[in-house]
Amino acid sequence: MKRTSGARLCATAAIGALSLSLLTACSDEGSKDSTDAKTSASASASTSSSAPAAKAFTAAELEKLLLAQGEVKGYKVDSGDDTLPKAKTQVKTDKPACDPLAWATAGLAPGDTDANASNSVSEDKASTATAQPEDLADAFDIDITFVGLSSYEGDGAAKAMKAVSDGITACAAGYALSADSESTKVTKVAAEKASGTGDESLAFTEDVDMDGAGTATFHSDVVRKGNTVATFYTVNFSAMSEGGDMGDVPAAVITAQVAKLK
């Protein structure tokens, strides 16, 4: 598969957690080895005991708290309805402890709640472009961040954060992931420096096997503000077709989204 056709396939395929399952189809040519994931522990400030007892938001209320077009300069906002899985049952792992990680990368609630909403935020290079891209692959050299919001009763949000933190440790050696009848292997999970936003935050990387042709490294951030948890997962179409590092979650997206949470 040529890079251009591979990029086109990646652009039209389901992504979020599904992008991990579709890496094989999008990477027929050789890929570069992924960069080593950072291993620094992450957390911003608070503990489970500080979680409020506020009533959880509904899915409809969370939809209104998602970033909207025009709220992040240099980025476009899309509903993500065509690319993100609709339910946790569509995303499965071979280790229950790893489920919160897979859900977080799919814009789904990492904890026990039905109140969930998601969308995607992508670089708006067209607004600042001064020249045409050299080829179609260059046109797909953009970062897309999948954002998920979930809300919880009582200390549920703090428990969701702990589930993700525990998953990072328990799944350090990797896990198998299946989504929409496709499967892949996460070979390594590691904590990295978190954004430090909200009441509590953590971040992790996942190295994903590209069918024996190297690995791709994906970055995720998870932030709790009050009883709401925000998840962020970034994919670069061009990098996905080549392997290597997908790039950090844009700080501007995290900051703007967390600022909207009450």
Side-chain angles (χ1 to χ4, degrees):
M1 183 185 299
K2 297 180 180 179
R3 286 185 56 199
T4 53
S5 60
R8 185 184 302 110
L9 176 57
C10 289
T12 57
I15 16 191
L18 303 186
S19 67
L20 302 182
S21 298
L22 293 172
L23 279 171
T24 299
C26 298
S27 60
D28 285 358
E29 57 184 301
S31 61
K32 302 175 183 178
D33 290 337
S34 66
T35 57
D36 290 337
K38 300 176 183 177
T39 57
S40 58
S42 57
S44 68
S46 65
T47 63
S48 298
S49 61
S50 64
K55 180 177 175 59
F57 291 116
T58 65
E61 289 170 329
L62 289 174
E63 288 283 355
K64 296 178 181 179
L65 291 175
L66 285 167
L67 287 171
Q69 183 62 36
E71 292 183 332
V72 192
K73 185 177 180 180
Y75 291 86
K76 296 187 295 184
V77 177
D78 184 77
S79 68
D81 290 344
D82 295 332
T83 54
L84 291 168
K86 303 297 189 295
K88 292 179 179 179
T89 54
Q90 294 179 258
V91 182
K92 301 178 181 180
T93 75
D94 63 342
K95 300 177 184 177
C98 305
D99 287 347
L101 306 184
W103 294 334
T105 64
L108 296 167
D112 186 13
T113 182
D114 293 325
N116 186 81
S118 59
N119 67 358
S120 62
V121 182
S122 59
E123 291 180 284
D124 187 8
K125 289 189 174 182
S127 64
T128 57
T130 57
Q132 294 295 317
E134 294 181 4
D135 58 33
L136 187 58
D138 291 334
F140 286 114
D141 185 16
I142 59 173
D143 290 336
I144 295 185
T145 300
F146 297 93
V147 181
L149 298 182
S150 54
S151 190
Y152 305 79
E153 299 283 356
D155 63 351
K159 288 181 178 179
M161 295 294 290
K162 186 177 186 304
V164 175
S165 179
D166 289 347
I168 294 171
T169 301
C171 305
Y175 61 94
L177 170 68
S178 62
D180 200 24
S181 74
E182 298 287 341
S183 62
T184 193
K185 176 67 176 177
V186 177
T187 61
K188 177 183 176 182
V189 178
E192 67 174 353
K193 185 176 181 181
S195 64
T197 56
D199 298 319
E200 185 179 5
S201 62
L202 54 83
F204 61 95
T205 61
E206 293 180 307
D207 287 0
V208 180
D209 178 62
M210 298 184 71
D211 197 28
T215 59
T217 300
F218 293 81
H219 298 257
S220 297
D221 280 70
V222 185
V223 179
R224 178 180 68 80
K225 185 170 182 181
N227 63 344
T228 301
V229 172
T231 61
F232 305 87
Y233 171 80
T234 296
V235 173
N236 181 289
F237 290 139
S238 179
M240 187 189 296
S241 68
E242 299 173 349
D245 198 294
M246 297 296 109
D248 295 332
V249 177
V253 175
I254 297 176
T255 299
Q257 178 60 82
V258 174
K260 287 196 69 174
L261 304 180
K262 300 177 181 178

